[in-house]
Amino acid sequence: MKKRFLFLSVCMALAGSMGAQVKKNVNTDPYPYGNPVIRHMYTADAAPHVMPDGRVWMITSVDHENGGGYSTMHCYHAFSSSDMVNWTDHGEIFHVNDIRPKDAPASDKWAVWAPDFIYKDGKYYLYIPIRIQHGAESSQEKRKVTAYLAVAESNSLTERFKVLTPQIKETRGIDPAVFRDTDGKIYLYWGSHMAAQLKDNMYEFVGKPVKLEVDTDRFMEAIWMNKHDGKYYLSYHTKYGNKIDKNHPDDPNRKPSELAYSVGDSPMGPFKYGGVMNYELGVGVKNGPNLPGYDYVPWRLTQSNHGGIVEYHGQEYLFYHTSALSSWRQDRFQGPGTWTQRSVCIDELNYRKNGSIVPVKQTIEGVAAVKINQPAVVNLSLKQASLADGESASVSNVNLGTGYYYFSAEVSGVTAPLKIEVRTGATDGKLLGTLLVKKDGYVDTSLIDANGKQTIFLKAVGGNVQISACSFFAGNVE
Ligand code: FUB
């Protein structure tokens, strides 16, 4: 445990010192390719999710225009897209000054690193890794670091988030990832493969955090949970070795900076090592510019890998970041770009028949624009159903097309908390999502794998309830 923390600290110190390199952004010509997708500023650590408006949203870290290392990461931006190609910048939604106490020692450098977020009951929750570098920039002191998680909330992704709790208890470490399973339970993952189920208040845990079994000693950071075909894929950035040698970038004796994954049958594992999901930055990129004198793209020489996965209308995508844009803006691809001036890229994520992941083919072109041809909302033809505990109502021939990401209903007659399961095919068929009902009124939840023509079963579990106005939504942009 101690050893791993030391390793992480050394990597961070190494990253910090490499990132401290400052290169001027002198080239103002438009960036000529599709990846990265955000080109007017530096963005990193994207957390992508489909939101109730049917758009894909990502909240990203912001790398400083002037570089200067990871301690200069001070804010988050929100971006959204309806096709994965054209992105709208909704501006800064959180700044480190929104959380740093006014009386914090001036010598402490506060930064906000890779975030994640989730929608629940009309609110958005933003999980923030606070990273405080204590003491002077020089000497050994640089390695003294405090890192923990905070959570902020907002009524809208375009409004500033307000701190809900400045420090979630028992969260030492960085890189939170938040995941809602189809049974309605929400899990927080962070740091060195820690995890816990979140309580309804979104900042306390049900029980104690657990260190997950990930079946590898290469786990370093950047944990992410993705459910695919009923299996739980935990992905992460691997521990890596020395700086890449220009002349031997694929030196087999150097541990590469990759994203790998482990697979499990439950959100809390255990997980079995599955393989590489994303090779080092710039590996195998075709049609790009070559580093002068070499046969690979210039940013192939930088090490920082961080992944976020989202499924959108039948295709999964890996969001990661590269230094391609800094390489362009600093010297027109003559050099590798700066370590901490990263930019979000998107490429397809595909699986083999046996469930293993095909390592992502990184591209300079980016992905094709998604076209959605279906209504935003599908109302269930179910006027009102009275369900006793364990009973279900069904509607056949529901066309969920290429995907609907949320489900809502009006409920009444609620006397105690209960669940309404949304299933396909049978009362005990595939679970797409679960409404957690506490009182009469409107209730909604996210869904996984809600697509195609289906017979939908709505099943009351734990109490009696009347349901009406049932809709699948977020199937297109409102
Ligand atoms: O961006 C700051 C840190 O670098 C993140 O928290 C890590 O995952 C790595 O991307």
Side-chain angles (χ1 to χ4, degrees):
M1 167 77 187
K2 253 190 174 168
K3 244 187 180 172
R4 278 199 181 178
F5 190 69
L6 183 68
F7 180 87
L8 200 63
S9 308
V10 171
C11 284
M12 285 171 173
L14 183 70
S17 59
M18 292 186 75
Q21 172 196 9
V22 174
K23 273 166 113 185
K24 278 211 161 17
N25 297 301
V26 288
N27 175 21
T28 55
D29 284 352
Y31 181 81
Y33 299 106
N35 250 340
V37 293
I38 308 299
R39 301 185 273 268
H40 63 285
M41 61 187 289
Y42 291 122
T43 53
D45 304 326
H49 299 281
V50 184
M51 286 290 114
D53 63 358
R55 296 170 73 83
V56 177
W57 285 75
M58 62 170 166
I59 295 183
T60 74
S61 309
V62 174
D63 281 343
H64 203 283
E65 175 70 10
N66 300 327
Y70 289 164
S71 58
T72 62
M73 296 174 64
H74 287 158
C75 66
Y76 298 136
H77 269 231
F79 301 86
S80 75
S81 171
S82 60
D83 66 1
M84 288 280 172
V85 171
N86 298 292
W87 289 87
T88 304
D89 180 0
H90 300 278
E92 184 183 292
I93 46 108
F94 193 81
H95 192 277
V96 72
N97 289 340
D98 298 334
I99 196 162
R100 176 172 41 199
K102 292 218 161 42
D103 58 356
S107 56
D108 283 358
K109 285 188 174 167
W110 282 57
V112 287
W113 282 12
D116 198 6
F117 72 105
I118 192 167
Y119 165 84
K120 178 180 166 280
D121 298 339
K123 278 196 190 299
Y124 300 85
Y125 295 88
L126 176 64
Y127 291 88
I128 304 162
I130 303 293
R131 202 249 184 192
I132 310 165
Q133 187 180 296
H134 305 280
E137 183 66 59
S138 60
S139 81
Q140 292 297 316
E141 276 200 291
K142 189 149 90 184
R143 293 184 181 176
K144 282 191 198 153
V145 160
T146 308
Y148 56 85
L149 307 185
V151 58
E153 63 180 348
S154 176
N155 294 323
S156 153
L157 283 171
T158 59
E159 280 167 28
R160 224 170 172 80
F161 279 73
K162 290 206 174 73
V163 175
L164 178 62
T165 183
Q167 180 161 8
I168 307 178
K169 281 187 193 139
E170 302 180 274
T171 56
R172 182 164 160 255
I174 57 169
D175 291 354
V178 59
F179 166 75
R180 184 196 279 109
D181 204 355
T182 48
D183 61 4
K185 290 181 182 159
I186 301 179
Y187 298 87
L188 190 66
Y189 302 86
W190 71 93
S192 216
H193 45 98
M194 298 301 295
Q197 188 193 328
L198 279 163
K199 281 190 182 168
D200 199 38
N201 63 20
M202 301 301 274
Y203 63 87
E204 285 178 317
F205 298 136
V206 177
K208 287 252 166 225
V210 168
K211 196 169 180 86
L212 302 173
E213 173 54 60
V214 292
D215 188 32
T216 175
D217 58 6
R218 289 200 61 205
F219 184 104
M220 188 172 81
E221 60 186 16
I223 197 163
W224 186 268
M225 170 54 74
N226 182 45
K227 191 175 182 181
H228 172 89
D229 219 1
K231 297 267 183 204
Y232 299 83
Y233 289 72
L234 198 78
S235 54
Y236 42 86
H237 186 188
T238 57
K239 289 173 185 170
Y240 54 91
N242 304 334
K243 232 181 132 182
I244 299 173
D245 179 346
K246 246 188 191 178
N247 298 309
H248 305 285
D250 293 311
D251 176 358
N253 296 319
R254 180 185 56 82
K255 283 198 187 112
S257 149
E258 296 163 332
L259 297 180
Y261 69 98
S262 301
V263 191
D265 293 320
S266 111
M268 296 294 279
F271 299 92
K272 235 176 149 45
Y273 181 75
V276 175
M277 177 170 82
N278 196 29
Y279 292 124
E280 276 186 324
L281 302 184
V283 165
V285 176
K286 301 276 182 288
N287 311 323
N290 279 354
L291 182 73
Y294 297 87
D295 64 355
Y296 48 78
V297 291
W299 53 97
R300 174 74 182 81
L301 298 180
T302 58
Q303 289 161 301
S304 170
N305 223 331
H306 187 110
I309 299 167
V310 68
E311 184 275 326
Y312 197 49
H313 296 284
Q315 176 64 54
E316 284 188 22
Y317 299 89
L318 177 72
F319 285 50
Y320 61 104
H321 54 225
T322 73
S323 298
L325 181 67
S326 53
S327 172
W328 169 253
R329 292 185 64 206
Q330 284 154 7
D331 55 19
R332 291 177 170 271
F333 299 135
Q334 299 301 294
T338 303
W339 181 287
T340 51
Q341 284 160 310
R342 301 156 295 174
S343 301
V344 172
C345 294
I346 305 173
D347 276 304
E348 288 185 0
L349 181 69
N350 293 303
Y351 296 75
R352 299 186 186 92
K353 281 212 174 86
N354 66 3
S356 61
I357 291 179
V358 181
V360 167
K361 190 171 177 310
Q362 296 176 28
T363 72
I364 185 103
E365 297 87 3
V367 296
V370 175
K371 290 194 183 75
I372 313 165
N373 184 17
Q374 60 187 27
V377 179
V378 169
N379 295 316
L380 276 194
S381 53
L382 181 80
K383 284 229 165 73
Q384 194 190 44
S386 289
L387 301 178
D389 185 9
E391 271 182 7
S392 44
S394 68
V395 181
S396 53
N397 273 322
V398 181
N399 189 355
L400 298 179
T402 53
Y404 284 78
Y405 294 88
Y406 290 85
F407 179 81
S408 66
E410 295 286 337
V411 294
S412 59
V414 178
T415 52
L418 74 142
K419 300 190 287 184
I420 300 172
E421 297 175 345
V422 185
R423 294 184 180 266
T424 54
T427 49
D428 57 353
K430 184 172 173 178
L431 185 61
L432 303 181
T434 303
L435 297 171
L436 301 180
V437 180
K438 283 174 270 171
K439 54 180 179 13
D440 287 358
Y442 172 93
V443 59
D444 65 17
T445 190
S446 57
L447 303 169
I448 298 178
D449 280 350
N451 52 43
K453 252 207 183 121
Q454 304 290 354
T455 299
I456 297 297
F457 285 78
L458 302 175
K459 182 177 178 183
V461 180
N464 305 342
V465 67
Q466 272 126 46
I467 46 171
S468 59
C470 300
S471 307
F472 287 87
F473 65 104
N476 202 339
V477 175
E478 298 269 1

